[in-house]
């Protein structure tokens, strides 16, 4: 989380690696709820179409 020490020591790779976790957490906070909503909707539509028999289709 703190990348100041590696940056001051010239460890740019370590600083970049240490910065990935917080960025992923912030990204999932934005994307996660929408992703869960889409997955739940898809699961409901699959369950609804699974109840249809071939005779009902045509």
């Amino acid at each position: 989380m703190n990348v100041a020490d590696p940056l001051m020591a010239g460890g740019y790779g370590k600083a970049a690696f240490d910065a990935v976790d917080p960025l992923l957490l912030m990204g999932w906070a934005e994307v996660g709820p929408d992703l869960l909503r889409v997955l739940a909707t898809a699961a409901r539509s699959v369950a609804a179409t699974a109840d249809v028999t071939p005779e009902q289709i045509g």
Side-chain angles (χ1 to χ4, degrees), residues 16-55:
F17 183 78
D18 289 345
V20 170
D21 287 340
L23 293 175
L24 287 175
L25 287 173
M26 288 186 288
W28 277 115
E30 293 293 323
V31 175
D34 291 332
L35 178 65
L36 291 174
R37 190 175 306 112
V38 168
L39 290 174
T41 303
R44 279 191 295 247
S45 67
V46 168
T49 57
D51 295 336
V52 176
T53 62
E55 293 82 25

